Amino acid sequence: MIESSEPRRLGVPVSEARLRFEAERREAGGGPGRRLLVVDGEPAFELSFWCGTCPFLFRRLETARQTLSLESVRERLTGTPAGPDVDGVIETFGALLPEGEYLPVPLRVEPRLVVPGREGDYFSGEQVATWGLDQFWGLPEYPHTSYYRTFETAVDASAHLYEFVVPMVPPTWNARERVEEYVELMGRGTVPTAVAVSTLDVCEPALDLSADHYRHWGLTHFLLDGHHKLEAAATTGRPVQLLSLLALGEGLAGPEDCARLPALRARPPSARPTPSSPKEPR
């Protein structure tokens, strides 16, 4: 089994990292613009806006066309690595990332594939209940990708944790034969391992004008390896092991919130009760 560990220093200089986090600068006025996840020099995802009062977000961009799977560790990730293999996997994937502090968090997930706008979509469900529809478009936020929901639980009476696994490319791009290989392996009891770089964003509207006002903790795992495994697990209803490398300082959450994640993630899952009716505008 993968054991829990303390934060560790991983990564390479930003200029050498295949994946990095960036904040665009606004023209002529200063202030930060979009937060981005960049892969091989191309913006791959737009992330939650820096203010923390806008809705939580991951939005796939047109230039997100590249996965980061590594053939050198493929065999070790067919099952659940243990002992020295774990450190080797962490260091190998850490070399794709910008130098910084990362918290390795081992998770067992049972993914459920969600299509935006359909049943179970966070962006048109729980998020709308708190922020409402986008005031300009009159529509929910749209992530431009299918994604996996894996876990949620109450943080406290005024906060709720939602967990997402986000593929770098759509599941429809997966090789069918690879997915079937993992379906067969899982049918024999194998629990393969996926690897992700993760961020925690804590977002809350500035004003309480909604049916259900509270802080949304969005734990997002961007897949480095495991696209076929996650689809196979979602198809068969079986678990996978997910090794999350939580990028400390890259999300919209303080160190104390990030430190709580392993304990929160160990709780039984629980959904937030559905609000009864919206509040009157103030």
Side-chain angles (χ1 to χ4, degrees), residues 26-194:
R26 289 177 175 166
E27 304 215 0
R34 298 185 304 173
R35 292 173 59 235
L36 298 172
L37 178 69
V38 175
V39 176
D40 288 339
E42 296 283 358
F45 284 86
E46 181 181 354
L47 309 179
S48 308
F49 197 59
W50 63 270
C51 64
T53 59
C54 294
F56 164 78
L57 181 66
F58 55 82
R59 178 182 288 130
R60 182 172 176 257
L61 303 174
E62 291 182 357
T63 44
R65 302 173 183 173
Q66 180 67 38
T67 65
L68 294 169
S69 299
L70 299 175
E71 287 298 320
S72 61
V73 293
R74 181 178 175 184
E75 194 65 33
R76 280 185 280 175
L77 297 177
T78 299
T80 303
D85 272 350
V86 179
D87 285 335
V89 168
I90 291 172
E91 292 294 333
T92 298
F93 282 98
L96 302 175
L97 308 176
E99 188 174 11
E101 293 290 318
Y102 295 84
L103 176 65
V105 183
L107 302 169
R108 192 177 178 94
V109 300
E110 295 182 10
R112 174 167 54 94
L113 183 64
V114 173
V115 177
R118 298 186 184 176
E119 182 180 357
D121 177 27
Y122 163 84
F123 295 98
S124 55
E126 294 96 333
Q127 189 175 92
V128 168
T130 295
W131 275 272
L133 299 174
D134 182 277
Q135 292 184 1
F136 179 80
W137 297 108
L139 295 169
E141 294 288 348
Y142 192 73
H144 289 277
T145 184
S146 298
Y147 58 93
Y148 301 97
R149 293 191 68 166
T150 50
F151 181 79
E152 64 175 285
T153 194
V155 176
D156 53 39
S158 59
H160 201 81
L161 170 67
Y162 298 100
E163 181 180 77
F164 310 92
V165 178
V166 180
M168 290 290 182
V169 297
T172 52
W173 290 19
N174 290 339
R176 295 300 102 199
E177 64 275 11
R178 290 281 304 281
V179 174
E180 290 303 318
E181 285 178 16
Y182 286 112
V183 166
E184 183 180 349
L185 279 172
M186 292 177 184
R188 299 201 300 263
T190 299
V191 180
T193 300

